[in-house]
Amino acid sequence: MKVAKDFLQNQTKKELTIEEIARVLKEKDELTPQEVMKFREFLAAEYFYLGMELAMILMKKPEVWKNIRKSVKSDRKADLEYDATELGKKEIVLKMKLKGIEKMLSALKSTLEIQQGEAMNLY
């Protein structure tokens, strides 16, 4: 519990980050329901903004991909060349971040459900 409390107290000086939340969760520290909710709120907002950024990239992708496809012989080669562009790399990173956030949200939901059960003496 000490690591989570220290972490949240230090967050008054700086912003929460996905990486810091992941670090706290990885250390398997006990969290209070308030801490869990704060993490979930941050991650939900971050998921929204990263999702919007990914949407903007996906809107540009067809045009960029079509131009690449003109100069290569296969769709697979066009996909690989697109992935090597800055937009392609950013798309990959955003998709992986979103997947990581989904996993952390799921873990935090499970934590909250267990805490609710414990509060009602079900465990």
Side-chain angles (χ1 to χ4, degrees), residues 57-73:
I57 289 172
L58 293 175
M59 286 174 40
K60 297 174 188 173
K61 183 177 182 174
E63 184 179 329
V64 174
W65 188 89
K66 189 170 96 177
N67 290 333
I68 293 171
R69 181 62 177 95
K70 290 176 185 175
S71 64
V72 296
K73 293 184 178 185

Side-chain angles (χ1 to χ4, degrees), residues 65-122:
W65 188 89
K66 189 170 96 177
N67 290 333
I68 293 171
R69 181 62 177 95
K70 290 176 185 175
S71 64
V72 296
K73 293 184 178 185
S74 70
D75 288 353
R76 176 76 178 131
K77 182 71 174 161
D79 287 340
L80 291 173
E81 288 201 20
Y82 173 79
D83 288 346
T85 66
E86 287 305 310
L87 278 179
K89 291 175 186 176
K90 192 163 188 171
E91 179 184 338
I92 292 167
V93 168
L94 286 172
K95 284 181 178 179
M96 296 309 296
K97 278 188 176 183
L98 290 170
K99 193 172 205 170
I101 289 172
E102 287 173 9
K103 300 298 182 186
M104 286 191 283
L105 284 169
S106 176
L108 288 167
K109 181 180 178 188
S110 296
T111 299
L112 201 55
E113 288 171 353
I114 289 170
Q115 290 172 338
Q116 287 172 336
E118 287 174 344
M120 296 190 308
N121 290 323
L122 296 177

Side-chain angles (χ1 to χ4, degrees), residues 8-20:
L8 286 172
Q9 287 172 352
N10 290 337
Q11 292 313 307
T12 59
K13 301 172 191 164
K14 60 182 179 177
E15 294 287 322
L16 282 174
T17 65
I18 298 168
E19 293 78 13
E20 285 296 310

